[in-house]
Amino acid sequence: MSADQKRATRPVSVLRELLQSSSSGGIILMGTALLALIIANSPLYGAYDHYLHVYVGGLSVLHWINDGLMAVFFLLVGLEIKREVLDGQLSSWSRRVLPGSAALGGMAGPAIVYLAFNMGEGGHPNGWAIPAATDIAFALGVLSLLGPRVPMSLRVFLTALAIIDDLGAVVIIALFYTSSLDALMLAGAAGVVLLLYGLNRAGVTRLTPYLLLGAVLWFLVLKSGVHATLAGVILALTIPLRASPAKPDDMHSPLHALEHGLHPWVTFLIVPIFGFANAGVSFAGMSLDSLAAPVPLGIALGLFIGKQVGVFAASFIVIRAGWAELPMYASWKQLYGVALLTGIGFTMSLFIGLLAFPDSQELQNALKLGVLVGSAISGIAGAILLRSATSRVAEKKAG
């Protein structure tokens, strides 16, 4: 096999492994989120809330989860973005145009819907980005429940879209959800980034110095006023993709080794812990009127309507214009079903929501309600449509 053939096949095999682990992780995430909801609406809620706010080492347990563990999640996101852009399914314009356009449409549509309900009196426009993100683990988990009848091309499309979506979320967090800055700490963080860049340029391939400097970077970013999880993305961008110039296809390069090492921890531990810690919403005193408030209604409709319209419309335009092709072996109906699944915005939507409303427990409960309702409706509707579409495809093949 030639070097070009190896380069063409390797990213797909890595992506298949990502799809399999993310699908299983999505099912576990569903379970932990459901468990959190059950506890939050039981006599155990007091203990649940108490232990999340116990302080350890100067930060609450919830703070350690959202700023500490999630920095590792963002490190993995950064590694996936770098690998796919440089060496994988997003490495060329032809591969980027369809998921890239869909991701942009899928971020703009929900923001517009949310703002339509929150620009007036009593609204909270600062939460415009909450419904703009797709939860890749949850969405792939739903796809996995439909079995092998869903074309692999659609799974790859959804994964690439979600990765670009995550990149957009990182940029949004950096630009719009950064508090007052500490210039000294920010300068220190910049100095660490230069050291990390220097290690990369010097050809250092041992992960230990990168990870040690990454821990320092996390602390400085935490104290600087920029959200600490961005340190994970910055660190990821400095990890070498190649073990050496002579081994461009080495699967044991620092980036691949770290990515594969982190995947099970993030998928099966960190993200479920985040879901368990943040999905606990007490429905005591809530009614349908609670969902009709601007924040939860804007989020729920942003996820369910804004996402599907934005993703499908952008995909339709670029395919009809001849800039991209419909994913292989997939129908328009199946593509629309995937567009519905992108409305599952659990992990990243909750994360952005906590940044948008850091000081209001009432608004945090409202955003969680909107995320849960919008994600649930999107997931159920997408699964029903995809099941119908794949059944018809199977019947035609059998006939």
Side-chain angles (χ1 to χ4, degrees):
M1 182 181 291
S2 69
D4 289 340
Q5 289 174 318
K6 289 180 180 178
R7 191 174 296 111
T9 58
R10 177 172 52 76
V12 176
S13 64
V14 172
L15 193 59
R16 285 178 185 271
E17 184 174 330
L18 165 63
L19 293 172
Q20 292 167 357
S21 63
S22 294
S23 298
S24 303
I27 295 172
I28 292 174
L29 181 57
M30 294 178 199
T32 56
L34 179 60
L35 179 61
L37 282 173
I38 293 172
I39 291 175
N41 292 276
S42 75
L44 296 174
Y45 178 69
Y48 168 85
D49 186 66
H50 168 74
Y51 284 112
L52 285 176
H53 292 89
V54 169
Y55 273 73
V56 179
L59 298 176
S60 69
V61 171
L62 186 61
H63 202 167
W64 276 114
I65 292 170
N66 291 346
D67 281 25
L69 289 182
M70 287 302 284
V72 181
F73 167 80
F74 275 88
L75 170 59
L76 181 60
V77 167
L79 293 171
E80 291 171 352
I81 291 171
K82 180 173 180 177
R83 174 176 52 77
E84 292 297 335
V85 169
L86 295 182
D87 212 28
Q89 293 300 314
L90 302 174
S91 60
S92 65
W93 168 253
S94 61
R95 291 179 172 181
R96 293 173 192 153
V97 63
L98 181 59
S101 301
L104 290 175
M107 286 186 277
I112 292 170
V113 171
Y114 178 88
L115 289 174
F117 288 93
N118 282 272
M119 289 303 291
E121 184 178 352
H124 298 273
N126 192 44
W128 63 271
I130 297 172
T134 295
D135 190 302
I136 184 173
F138 246 128
L140 288 174
V142 173
L143 270 186
S144 72
L145 297 176
L146 299 172
R149 291 177 298 176
V150 177
M152 177 57 69
S153 62
L154 279 180
R155 298 172 187 259
V156 171
F157 166 72
L158 177 58
T159 303
L161 185 159
I163 288 173
I164 298 172
D165 200 288
D166 284 344
L167 177 59
V170 169
V171 173
I172 288 170
I173 291 169
L175 294 179
F176 299 101
Y177 295 108
T178 294
S179 58
S180 56
L181 300 178
D182 184 315
L184 183 60
M185 291 296 177
L186 204 57
V192 173
V193 173
L194 288 176
L195 289 175
L196 287 166
Y197 177 75
L199 289 176
N200 183 298
R201 297 299 296 172
V204 176
T205 57
R206 290 185 59 196
L207 282 171
T208 302
Y210 289 97
L211 296 180
L212 290 176
L213 285 173
V216 176
L217 178 64
W218 176 84
F219 175 80
L220 292 171
V221 172
L222 175 69
K223 297 297 184 181
S224 72
V226 177
H227 200 271
T229 51
L230 296 180
V233 178
I234 296 169
L235 172 61
L237 299 181
T238 67
I239 303 294
L241 177 63
R242 315 290 188 195
S244 72
K247 296 181 178 180
D249 298 316
D250 186 5
M251 290 295 293
H252 302 289
S253 69
L255 188 146
H256 284 95
L258 184 56
E259 184 180 3
H260 284 276
L262 288 177
H263 253 304
W265 293 99
V266 171
T267 302
F268 299 113
L269 183 65
I270 291 176
V271 171
I273 287 175
F274 174 84
F276 179 75
N278 291 281
V281 181
S282 174
F283 297 125
M286 287 190 181
S287 64
L288 289 177
D289 291 338
S290 300
L291 184 59
V295 168
L297 187 62
I299 293 171
L301 294 182
L303 287 170
F304 179 58
I305 296 177
K307 267 291 187 181
Q308 61 170 291
V309 171
V311 169
F312 189 76
S315 301
F316 183 85
I317 290 170
V318 297
I319 291 173
R320 286 302 191 194
W323 300 333
E325 296 180 351
L326 195 66
M328 191 177 296
Y329 306 122
S331 66
W332 282 105
K333 189 173 182 179
Q334 288 174 319
L335 183 65
Y336 189 72
V338 169
L340 277 167
L341 289 186
T342 63
I344 303 175
F346 188 79
T347 304
M348 197 67 82
S349 291
L350 287 177
F351 187 82
I352 293 176
L354 295 174
L355 298 181
F357 308 126
D359 302 318
S360 174
Q361 188 63 50
E362 181 181 357
L363 287 177
Q364 288 182 12
N365 288 336
L367 78 88
K368 290 176 183 179
L369 179 63
V371 169
L372 291 172
V373 171
S375 296
I377 296 175
S378 297
I380 293 169
I384 291 173
L385 184 60
L386 280 169
R387 185 175 182 81
S388 169
T390 52
S391 296
R392 291 185 181 180
V393 171
E395 288 174 3
K396 287 181 179 179
K397 288 183 178 179

